[in-house]
Amino acid sequence: MGSEKKKITPRAEAGMDTTPAGRLRELAVESKALAQVVAGNPTAPGDLLEKLASQGGPAIQRAVAGNPNAPVGLLLKLAKSYPAEFCGNPALDLLLLETPDLLMRLDRETL
């Protein structure tokens, strides 16, 4: 009785910060719904987030825009379409400390 393991659903696994990058890649191609969860996973590798943003729809791009592990260039691209997610990105404060002119790189329309 005590040796029973709880089965983790793919959706839960896609959102866990302990899921290895290779497994996140596998989950991301299983379905759009799982890709969206992976896109919001803060441990998803930057190159995977780039791929998801380029191949996914608005929901996936929105999740990537709020992901603190997304590459800076990608965040700047997504900021225009998803300004709330960009501004709410947990990494934004640190990015602004590292790159004080970061906001100057945004399109005027985004600001």
Side-chain angles (χ1 to χ4, degrees):
M1 283 174 56
S3 64
E4 290 181 25
K5 283 189 174 181
K6 289 186 178 183
K7 183 163 170 80
I8 299 172
T9 65
R11 182 175 180 80
E13 190 178 12
M16 294 171 57
D17 62 4
T18 56
T19 303
R23 180 63 179 144
L24 290 175
R25 291 177 199 286
E26 292 170 1
L27 290 165
V29 297
E30 284 188 23
S31 72
K32 291 263 186 202
L34 286 177
Q36 183 177 347
V37 177
V38 169
N41 186 319
T43 62
D47 65 310
L48 177 57
L49 295 172
E50 293 262 8
K51 182 177 179 181
L52 290 172
S54 70
Q55 297 176 353
I60 291 172
Q61 292 173 347
R62 182 175 284 111
V64 171
N67 190 314
N69 209 30
V72 175
L74 178 59
L75 288 176
L76 293 174
K77 286 182 202 172
L78 294 173
K80 184 175 182 179
S81 298
Y82 308 103
E85 289 76 9
F86 172 80
C87 290
N89 189 308
L92 186 58
D93 289 342
L94 181 57
L95 292 173
L96 289 171
L97 286 173
E98 291 176 348
T99 313
D101 69 336
L102 182 70
L103 296 180
M104 300 299 287
R105 298 182 190 178
L106 293 172
D107 291 339
R108 274 193 150 150
E109 299 159 7
T110 303
L111 297 173

